[in-house]
Amino acid sequence: MSVVQKRSFLAVTLEDETVLRGLASPVRIRILGLLRRHGRLNVNEISAALGLPQSTVATNVQILEQAELIETRLVKASKGQQKVCALRYEEIVIRLNPPEPASEEKVIEVSMPLGLYTSCAVSAPCGLCSVDGVIGLLDVPDLFMDPGRMQAALAWFWRGSLEYKFPNNARILQSPIRRVEFIMELSSEVPGTNTNWPSDISIWLNGTKIGTWTAPGDYGDRRGRFTPHWWKLAGSQYGVRTVWAVTGEGTFVNDARISDVTLAELGLAEHHSIRLRIGIEDDARHPGGINIFGKGFGNHGQDIMMRILL
């Protein structure tokens, strides 16, 4: 029996300026094409294959790294170390931005600090960090309710969940909800890091499970854009920016359908608050832990964001 590997792809919009910059160069396009054809190559091999100076290749490789279009790692060479490059995605799709909402349409946004959860039930290994240092003690679940959690910018745990309570401002405005989104930066959690460490992360809204998304891995190949320098390089550095959206047609993560749960099943208009619970189920197929990156950590440096489209 043969095993068919899924083709990885990246969907970007016109707002993803870093990725678009990475693609906006004939040299970088040639590098991507070369890696697509030949797999992993070091900077010297890319330079020789394309007939370009090593300095030119090194500069463009750095831009491709920043755009997260390639992954790199340092390996021992006969003289020091060399950087080996590999393609992250086999296909890249650029989506045109949707039309601007009509003037009568409204968008409500609420930014929730990572440490402002109202309840938790987590298991070790686990921990919290602020932008200045570790909060309390590591691997002590009871300390997740310490008041110091209010400063958290990074949270991780192996099993369990955190729950947040967002105000349901749509109910106050007496406006029907067309779409609700939760935007956060997530990764798996493994001792050290491992880019191939899948973990099934689930979300519940007001007690209803809306779906599960599998985080590909725990990323530590380079420092996150916002991750403070005191945080060890061997630790989790950044995650994937995920947009969880529930509409009248179903539930989606980054435009990929994950379940048939619709807004009608959530009955949000009946509740004064919208409770978001995020975590790892005990019977998850891929129980690989979770990192949640808040403002001051990761590649996006943002709190957990709720967007309601009316």
Side-chain angles (χ1 to χ4, degrees), residues 188 194-200 214-218 285-289:
S188 308
N194 188 335
T195 56
N196 184 24
W197 188 265
S199 185
D200 293 340
T214 302
D218 185 0
R285 182 180 178 185
H286 302 103

mmCIF file of all heavy atoms in Angstrom, residues 188 194-200 214-218 285-289:
data_model
loop_
_atom_site.group_PDB
_atom_site.id
_atom_site.type_symbol
_atom_site.label_atom_id
_atom_site.label_comp_id
_atom_site.label_asym_id
_atom_site.label_seq_id
_atom_site.Cartn_x
_atom_site.Cartn_y
_atom_site.Cartn_z
ATOM 1 N N SER A 188 1.626 23.851 18.595
ATOM 2 C CA SER A 188 1.686 22.686 19.475
ATOM 3 C C SER A 188 2.672 22.963 20.608
ATOM 4 O O SER A 188 3.327 24.007 20.634
ATOM 5 C CB SER A 188 2.133 21.455 18.685
ATOM 6 O OG SER A 188 1.345 21.269 17.530
ATOM 7 N N ASN A 194 9.620 21.177 17.875
ATOM 8 C CA ASN A 194 9.574 20.179 16.807
ATOM 9 C C ASN A 194 8.547 20.656 15.787
ATOM 10 O O ASN A 194 7.365 20.766 16.100
ATOM 11 C CB ASN A 194 9.181 18.803 17.362
ATOM 12 C CG ASN A 194 9.318 17.698 16.320
ATOM 13 O OD1 ASN A 194 9.260 17.948 15.126
ATOM 14 N ND2 ASN A 194 9.488 16.468 16.786
ATOM 15 N N THR A 195 9.001 20.959 14.562
ATOM 16 C CA THR A 195 8.082 21.483 13.544
ATOM 17 C C THR A 195 7.097 20.418 13.061
ATOM 18 O O THR A 195 6.088 20.756 12.461
ATOM 19 C CB THR A 195 8.861 22.032 12.342
ATOM 20 O OG1 THR A 195 9.718 21.006 11.822
ATOM 21 C CG2 THR A 195 9.705 23.226 12.754
ATOM 22 N N ASN A 196 7.393 19.157 13.316
ATOM 23 C CA ASN A 196 6.484 18.075 12.941
ATOM 24 C C ASN A 196 5.928 17.435 14.206
ATOM 25 O O ASN A 196 6.325 16.342 14.597
ATOM 26 C CB ASN A 196 7.199 17.044 12.064
ATOM 27 C CG ASN A 196 6.266 15.955 11.575
ATOM 28 O OD1 ASN A 196 5.056 16.154 11.487
ATOM 29 N ND2 ASN A 196 6.827 14.803 11.250
ATOM 30 N N TRP A 197 5.030 18.138 14.867
ATOM 31 C CA TRP A 197 4.450 17.674 16.125
ATOM 32 C C TRP A 197 2.964 18.075 16.137
ATOM 33 O O TRP A 197 2.585 19.071 16.744
ATOM 34 C CB TRP A 197 5.196 18.285 17.314
ATOM 35 C CG TRP A 197 4.800 17.730 18.648
ATOM 36 C CD1 TRP A 197 3.879 18.239 19.517
ATOM 37 C CD2 TRP A 197 5.307 16.546 19.267
ATOM 38 N NE1 TRP A 197 3.773 17.467 20.635
ATOM 39 C CE2 TRP A 197 4.641 16.408 20.514
ATOM 40 C CE3 TRP A 197 6.240 15.581 18.885
ATOM 41 C CZ2 TRP A 197 4.901 15.348 21.382
ATOM 42 C CZ3 TRP A 197 6.497 14.532 19.755
ATOM 43 C CH2 TRP A 197 5.835 14.428 20.980
ATOM 44 N N PRO A 198 2.112 17.324 15.424
ATOM 45 C CA PRO A 198 0.705 17.727 15.295
ATOM 46 C C PRO A 198 -0.040 17.672 16.626
ATOM 47 O O PRO A 198 0.235 16.822 17.476
ATOM 48 C CB PRO A 198 0.141 16.716 14.297
ATOM 49 C CG PRO A 198 1.053 15.528 14.384
ATOM 50 C CD PRO A 198 2.408 16.071 14.698
ATOM 51 N N SER A 199 -0.954 18.608 16.786
ATOM 52 C CA SER A 199 -1.769 18.649 17.994
ATOM 53 C C SER A 199 -3.172 19.135 17.644
ATOM 54 O O SER A 199 -3.340 20.142 16.953
ATOM 55 C CB SER A 199 -1.149 19.576 19.043
ATOM 56 O OG SER A 199 -1.891 19.525 20.245
ATOM 57 N N ASP A 200 -4.182 18.419 18.118
ATOM 58 C CA ASP A 200 -5.577 18.756 17.844
ATOM 59 C C ASP A 200 -6.073 19.775 18.866
ATOM 60 O O ASP A 200 -6.288 19.439 20.039
ATOM 61 C CB ASP A 200 -6.455 17.506 17.891
ATOM 62 C CG ASP A 200 -6.143 16.543 16.754
ATOM 63 O OD1 ASP A 200 -5.547 16.994 15.755
ATOM 64 O OD2 ASP A 200 -6.485 15.354 16.862
ATOM 65 N N THR A 214 -5.833 21.088 13.603
ATOM 66 C CA THR A 214 -4.580 20.421 13.949
ATOM 67 C C THR A 214 -3.401 21.345 13.699
ATOM 68 O O THR A 214 -3.088 21.683 12.550
ATOM 69 C CB THR A 214 -4.403 19.125 13.136
ATOM 70 O OG1 THR A 214 -5.516 18.256 13.381
ATOM 71 C CG2 THR A 214 -3.125 18.408 13.551
ATOM 72 N N ALA A 215 -2.765 21.779 14.791
ATOM 73 C CA ALA A 215 -1.550 22.588 14.679
ATOM 74 C C ALA A 215 -0.425 21.707 14.150
ATOM 75 O O ALA A 215 -0.222 20.594 14.645
ATOM 76 C CB ALA A 215 -1.175 23.173 16.034
ATOM 77 N N PRO A 216 0.338 22.162 13.140
ATOM 78 C CA PRO A 216 1.368 21.300 12.544
ATOM 79 C C PRO A 216 2.534 20.995 13.465
ATOM 80 O O PRO A 216 3.086 19.903 13.420
ATOM 81 C CB PRO A 216 1.835 22.111 11.321
ATOM 82 C CG PRO A 216 0.758 23.119 11.078
ATOM 83 C CD PRO A 216 0.192 23.437 12.427
ATOM 84 N N GLY A 217 2.956 21.989 14.292
ATOM 85 C CA GLY A 217 4.143 21.751 15.095
ATOM 86 C C GLY A 217 4.391 22.865 16.092
ATOM 87 O O GLY A 217 3.581 23.776 16.271
ATOM 88 N N ASP A 218 5.538 22.750 16.745
ATOM 89 C CA ASP A 218 5.987 23.708 17.763
ATOM 90 C C ASP A 218 7.259 24.355 17.210
ATOM 91 O O ASP A 218 8.274 23.685 17.047
ATOM 92 C CB ASP A 218 6.266 22.953 19.060
ATOM 93 C CG ASP A 218 6.630 23.877 20.216
ATOM 94 O OD1 ASP A 218 6.672 25.100 20.003
ATOM 95 O OD2 ASP A 218 6.862 23.375 21.328
ATOM 96 N N ARG A 285 -7.028 12.859 18.980
ATOM 97 C CA ARG A 285 -6.255 11.932 18.145
ATOM 98 C C ARG A 285 -4.779 12.307 18.147
ATOM 99 O O ARG A 285 -3.902 11.450 18.152
ATOM 100 C CB ARG A 285 -6.807 11.940 16.719
ATOM 101 C CG ARG A 285 -6.094 10.976 15.789
ATOM 102 C CD ARG A 285 -6.679 11.020 14.389
ATOM 103 N NE ARG A 285 -5.977 10.127 13.490
ATOM 104 C CZ ARG A 285 -6.205 10.037 12.184
ATOM 105 N NH1 ARG A 285 -7.145 10.803 11.636
ATOM 106 N NH2 ARG A 285 -5.508 9.210 11.433
ATOM 107 N N HIS A 286 -4.505 13.613 18.105
ATOM 108 C CA HIS A 286 -3.129 14.110 18.173
ATOM 109 C C HIS A 286 -3.022 15.013 19.405
ATOM 110 O O HIS A 286 -3.167 16.231 19.303
ATOM 111 C CB HIS A 286 -2.765 14.902 16.910
ATOM 112 C CG HIS A 286 -2.909 14.130 15.638
ATOM 113 N ND1 HIS A 286 -3.974 14.303 14.778
ATOM 114 C CD2 HIS A 286 -2.123 13.172 15.093
ATOM 115 C CE1 HIS A 286 -3.831 13.490 13.752
ATOM 116 N NE2 HIS A 286 -2.719 12.788 13.911
ATOM 117 N N PRO A 287 -2.760 14.438 20.559
ATOM 118 C CA PRO A 287 -2.702 15.251 21.798
ATOM 119 C C PRO A 287 -1.320 15.855 22.005
ATOM 120 O O PRO A 287 -0.541 15.403 22.835
ATOM 121 C CB PRO A 287 -3.034 14.219 22.878
ATOM 122 C CG PRO A 287 -2.490 12.925 22.329
ATOM 123 C CD PRO A 287 -2.583 13.006 20.828
ATOM 124 N N GLY A 288 -1.008 16.895 21.234
ATOM 125 C CA GLY A 288 0.355 17.428 21.244
ATOM 126 C C GLY A 288 0.519 18.731 21.983
ATOM 127 O O GLY A 288 1.463 19.480 21.714
ATOM 128 N N GLY A 289 -0.384 19.037 22.944
ATOM 129 C CA GLY A 289 -0.245 20.244 23.730
ATOM 130 C C GLY A 289 -0.535 21.513 22.944
ATOM 131 O O GLY A 289 -0.852 21.471 21.749
#
